[in-house]
Amino acid sequence: MRITNKIIREIVDQAKKESPLEACGYLGAKDGIITTIFALTNIDKSSEHFSFDPKEQFMAAKDARARGLDLSAVYHSHPASPARPSQEDIKLAYDSAMSYFIVSLLGGEEDVRAFSIKNGEVAEINLEVVDDQRL
C-alpha cells in the first residue's frame, strides 16, 4: 500500500495533538496512493477506544466522493500501546475492504502500521511511503 510522506506526518501530528486520547479518521486514496486525510472527532473522548462523529463521518464520505477519492482506510492512534490491533479493534473492524492504520506513540516513539482485518484475522500490510514531490 502506498501513502505519501505528508499524510504520515499529518496522522502522527494529529495523534500527538490529541494524546492522551485516541485520534481517528479516514484516509482517502486516488490511483492507489493515499493522499488525503479526513481527521475526525473521537466522540468517545477515550485513550483506549474511538468512535467517529456521525456527521463528520458522513461529510468525509461526501467530500471524498466529490473529489474522486476512495475512502480506503480507517486510522486511529494508540497513545500508550503498540501499533497493532487490540481485541476491540479486531472485533469492530466491520468493513473487510478497508485497511486499518494504527499510530503508536508508546514510549515517545512514532510507529505507523497498516493492517488488513478480515473475519477476525489480522495481517500486516507493507507500507510504501512515497515522496509528495513525485506525485
Side-chain angles (χ1 to χ4, degrees):
M1 174 167 288
R2 299 172 75 195
I3 185 169
T4 66
N5 284 320
K6 178 178 179 273
I7 299 304
I8 293 285
R9 286 190 309 272
E10 288 181 24
I11 295 169
V12 170
D13 288 348
Q14 181 189 359
K16 287 179 174 180
K17 179 181 162 201
E18 296 188 24
S19 184
L21 304 179
E22 286 194 1
C24 60
Y26 280 127
L27 298 175
K30 185 150 189 130
D31 301 324
I33 302 172
I34 295 174
T35 58
T36 307
I37 182 174
F38 296 93
L40 302 177
T41 301
N42 177 358
I43 61 172
D44 289 345
K45 303 215 179 301
S46 171
S47 61
E48 297 178 357
H49 52 87
F50 72 97
S51 293
F52 293 152
D53 176 301
K55 290 179 187 170
E56 291 178 358
Q57 187 177 12
F58 174 77
M59 292 306 295
K62 186 176 175 182
D63 186 22
R65 243 187 333 271
R67 295 164 65 180
L69 299 170
D70 295 317
L71 285 182
S72 60
V74 169
Y75 72 89
H76 72 282
S77 62
H78 283 182
S81 60
R84 65 175 176 254
S86 67
Q87 288 303 310
E88 183 175 356
D89 294 336
I90 295 167
K91 181 176 79 174
L92 297 175
Y94 297 118
D95 189 345
S96 62
M98 282 281 181
S99 298
Y100 295 90
F101 280 66
I102 300 175
V103 180
S104 173
L105 301 176
L106 181 64
E109 298 292 320
E110 303 164 4
D111 188 17
V112 179
R113 296 177 186 253
F115 301 89
S116 166
I117 304 174
K118 295 179 182 168
N119 301 319
E121 296 293 318
V122 177
E124 188 162 359
I125 298 169
N126 184 44
L127 288 179
E128 179 186 347
V129 181
V130 297
D131 185 4
D132 307 302
Q133 306 305 318
R134 294 179 28 203
L135 298 179

